[in-house]
C-alpha cells in the first residue's frame, strides 16, 4: 500500500530534516519508525530510495505538536534515522533541527502570531530530554520571514536569525552536568571529561591521540585505529555517564579538543559518534563550551584561563568555522557549585519544500 504523509523539508542550522505534525504519523512508535525508515530510504548508505541525504546530519526528523504543558507552546520530539541501519533513535536531542521547529510551528498554525509584530518567541518543550528552549522567529506580515543577513558557519548563504535560549539543560540526558562526579576521568589510559549540558559529550585532548586537532573530518574518519580507540572509550564512557550500553546509541558524542587557531577559545573535531561532524552540534557545542569554563576539565587544562561570574561568550572552532555560545555562569572554580544559568546562540533555518512524502508500506 502506498502511504502519503504531509511533510516539510527544512534546514535547521547546519542540519536538514523532515518535519511532521505528530497527528500525521502513526501513534504506535514501531509503526512510526518503520514508516520513517521508508521515507528516509534507510537502511542504505546512499538512501537512494528516500528523502534522506546519506549522512547523519541530513537524516533527521522533527515531530511537533501543540504542547500539553502550560509554560510551553509546542512539544518537539527529535528522531535520528540511521543511514545504513534499520534504526530510529530518540536517545538524543538536536539543537540544529530545533532551529526549524519554531518556524514550522508557526507555518502549521500551532502558535498564534500578532501580525503587527516582527518576531514571535516560540516556547518549545524538547521531549527527548524533558527540557525547554525559547526560539525567536522573525515575522513579516504575520508569516515566517526566512530571509535575512544572519550568517552561521557551515551554511553558505545568509538567512533570518533564529535566536535560541536554553534555560534548564544541565544533565538533561545523564542526570547531572558532570555525570561521573568528576571534572576528569581516565578511560583506557586516556584522560576524558564527561559532560552533559544539553548533549552528552566526552572531551578528549587531540594530542593524546597523536593528532594536531586540525585534521579534516575525512582524514579522521579514514583513520581506522583512531576510530576504534575512540569507540572503545565511548562504550565505557556511556556506562559511566548513566547512558547504559551505547553501542546502538548516537550519544555520547566524542569531541577531540585542541588549542584554537582562528581566534576562538577552543578547537574541536566531533565524532557524532561514527561520522565526524562538518561543524559541531548546537547542544554539543554548549557542552564543550561549558567544559571550557569549569577548572580542571580536559578543555580548561588546555586553555589555562579562568572565568569570572556573569555573561561570557565562548567561540568554539570546528572544521568549517566557529560556533559562538553565550552563557551566564557562576562559580567556575568549583565542580560542586558551578552553574550555567542560561545558554544562548544564533542559528538560521529555511523552509526548503512542503508537500506529501510517499512510502510503500505493508
Ligand atoms: O548537538 C549532530 C547536529 C547535531 C546535533 C549530532 C545538534 C546538537 O548538528 O544539538 O545539533 O551531534 O548528532 O544537527
Amino acid at each position: 500500500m502506498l502511504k502519503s504523509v504531509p511533510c516539510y523539508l527544512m534546514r535547521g542550522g547546519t542540519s536538514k530534516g523532515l518535519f511532521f505534525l505528530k497527528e500525521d504519523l502513526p501513534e504506535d512508535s514501531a509503526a512510526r519508525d518503520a514508516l520513517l525508515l521508508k521515507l528516509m530510504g534507510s537502511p542504505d548508505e546512499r538512501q537512494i530510495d528516500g528523502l534522506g541525504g546519506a549522512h547523519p546530519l541530513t537524516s533527521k526528523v522533527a515531530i511537533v505538536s501543540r504542547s500539553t504543558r502550560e509554560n510551553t507552546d509546542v512539544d518537539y520530539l527529535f528522531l535520528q534515522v540511521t543511514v545504513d541501519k534499520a534504526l530510529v533513535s530518540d536517545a538524543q536531542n538536536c539543537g540544529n533541527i530545533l532551529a526549524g521547529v519554531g518556524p514550522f510551528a508557526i507555518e502549521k498554525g500551532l502558535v498564534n502570531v500578532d501580525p503587527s509584530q516582527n518576531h514571535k518567541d516560540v516556547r518549545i518543550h524538547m521531549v527527548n530530554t524533558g527540557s525547554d528552549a525559547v526560539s525567536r522567529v522573525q515575522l513579516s506580515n504575520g508569516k515566517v520571514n526566512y530571509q535575512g543577513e544572519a550568517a552561521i558557519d557551515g551554511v553558505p548563504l545568509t538567512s533570518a536569525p533564529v535566536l535560541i535560549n536554553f534555560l534548564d539543560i544541565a544533565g538533561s540526558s545523564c542526570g547531572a552536568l558532570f555525570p561521573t562526579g568528576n571534572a576528569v576521568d581516565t578511560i583506557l589510559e586516556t584522560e576524558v571529561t564527561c559532560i552533559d549540558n544539553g548533549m552528552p559529550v566526552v572531551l578528549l585532548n587531540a594530542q593524546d591521540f597523536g593528532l594536531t586537532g586540525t585534521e579534516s573530518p575525512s582524514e579522521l574518519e579514514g583513520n581506522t585505529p583512531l576510530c576504534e580507540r575512540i569507540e572503545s572509550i565511548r562504550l565505557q564512557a556511556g556506562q559511566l555517564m548513566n547512558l547504559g550500553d551505547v553501542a546502538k546509541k548516537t550519544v555520547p558524542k566524542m569531541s577531540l579538543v585542541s588549542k584554537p587557531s582562528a581566534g576562538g577559545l577552543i578547537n574541536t573535531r566531533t565524532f557524532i559518534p561514527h561520522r565526524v561532524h562538518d561543524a559541531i552540534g548546537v547542544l554539543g557545542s554548549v557542552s564543550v563550551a561549558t567544559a571550557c569554563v569549569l577548572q580542571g576539565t580536559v578543555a580548561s587544562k588546555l586553555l589555562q584561563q579562568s572565568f569570572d561570574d556573569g555573561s561570557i561568550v565562548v567561540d568554539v572552532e570546528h572544521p568549517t568555522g566557529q560556533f559562538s555560545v553565550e552563557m551566564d555562569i557562576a562559580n567556575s572554580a568549583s565542580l560542586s557549585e558551578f552553574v550555567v544559568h542560561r545558554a544562548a546562540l544564533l542559528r538560521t533555518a529555511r523552509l526548503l519544500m512542503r508537500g506529501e512524502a510517499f512510502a510503500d508500506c505493508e
Side-chain angles (χ1 to χ4, degrees):
M1 188 183 77
L2 199 58
K3 196 169 167 44
S4 77
V5 196
C7 171
Y8 280 46
L9 176 66
M10 298 187 80
R11 174 180 65 75
T14 50
S15 287
K16 192 156 63 176
L18 304 182
F19 286 63
F20 300 97
L21 282 181
K22 187 177 179 192
E23 69 203 40
D24 289 333
L25 289 171
E27 229 173 276
D28 172 66
S29 58
R32 177 200 68 198
D33 292 353
L35 174 63
L36 293 175
L37 285 166
K38 290 259 167 66
L39 293 175
M40 280 291 188
S42 287
D44 168 26
E45 62 181 34
R46 291 191 303 146
Q47 290 184 321
I48 195 67
D49 204 22
L51 293 164
H55 191 284
L57 297 178
T58 52
S59 185
K60 296 179 170 241
V61 168
I63 301 177
V64 185
S65 53
R66 255 196 197 94
S67 190
T68 51
R69 299 164 168 258
E70 248 177 39
N71 56 350
T72 46
D73 300 308
V74 291
D75 290 349
Y76 152 55
L77 174 70
F78 169 72
L79 295 174
Q80 180 72 54
V81 180
T82 302
V83 172
D84 58 353
K85 294 190 183 70
L87 217 56
V88 178
S89 172
D90 64 2
Q92 77 163 85
N93 195 355
C94 179
N96 269 310
I97 289 298
L98 171 69
V101 171
F104 177 76
I106 296 170
E107 295 270 0
K108 284 292 197 179
L110 298 182
V111 290
N112 296 326
V113 296
D114 176 349
S116 69
Q117 297 294 310
N118 64 3
H119 69 258
K120 169 77 185 174
D121 285 340
V122 183
R123 299 167 306 162
I124 301 167
H125 179 65
M126 301 181 288
V127 176
N128 303 74
T129 52
S131 45
D132 298 341
V134 180
S135 176
R136 177 160 291 190
V137 179
Q138 301 303 306
L139 301 174
S140 174
N141 301 321
K143 291 200 161 33
V144 178
N145 175 22
Y146 294 100
Q147 291 173 304
E149 298 307 315
I152 57 170
D153 286 342
V155 177
L157 299 178
T158 63
S159 306
V162 177
L163 290 166
I164 301 177
N165 262 283
F166 296 108
L167 298 173
D168 59 345
I169 50 175
S172 55
S173 295
C174 303
L177 182 59
F178 290 92
T180 67
N182 304 313
V184 168
D185 294 278
T186 301
I187 302 178
L188 299 175
E189 295 170 10
T190 310
E191 277 203 339
V192 302
T193 289
C194 300
I195 186 165
D196 171 14
N197 201 9
M199 180 66 74
V201 176
V202 178
L203 282 88
L204 311 150
N205 186 330
Q207 275 186 345
D208 291 346
F209 295 79
L211 302 166
T212 61
T214 56
E215 292 79 5
S216 69
S218 57
E219 251 178 284
L220 296 171
E221 285 174 3
N223 184 339
T224 307
L226 171 75
C227 295
E228 286 173 356
R229 185 172 159 204
I230 287 181
E231 181 63 3
S232 303
I233 295 172
R234 195 180 80 85
L235 295 177
Q236 291 201 16
Q239 299 285 357
L240 294 176
M241 295 173 82
N242 308 319
L243 294 167
D245 178 3
V246 296
K248 290 194 179 143
K249 292 186 183 163
T250 54
V251 284
K253 312 292 176 184
M254 306 297 283
S255 253
L256 291 165
V257 294
S258 56
K259 289 215 161 115
S261 59
L265 184 71
I266 192 144
N267 180 40
T268 58
R269 295 291 183 267
T270 304
F271 287 72
I272 58 165
H274 303 124
R275 299 293 305 268
V276 177
H277 207 305
D278 295 314
I280 185 168
V282 169
L283 292 153
S285 63
V286 175
S287 287
V288 169
T290 306
C292 289
V293 173
L294 179 77
Q295 283 178 27
T297 67
V298 166
S300 51
K301 280 191 196 181
L302 194 70
L303 306 174
Q304 309 271 338
Q305 192 174 326
S306 55
F307 295 86
D308 294 332
D309 290 1
S311 199
I312 60 164
V313 175
V314 174
D315 290 325
V316 178
E317 295 182 6
H318 57 67
T320 44
Q322 295 192 16
F323 194 115
S324 295
V325 182
E326 189 187 313
M327 297 190 292
D328 294 343
I329 57 152
N331 308 324
S332 62
S334 157
L335 177 72
S336 57
E337 288 168 38
F338 175 51
V339 271
V340 179
H341 295 295
R342 181 185 72 96
L345 40 92
L346 167 74
R347 294 282 83 189
T348 63
R350 211 162 76 76
L351 173 60
L352 304 174
M353 190 281 308
R354 67 175 155 233
E356 282 172 279
F358 291 89
D360 198 353
C361 291
E362 271 124 49

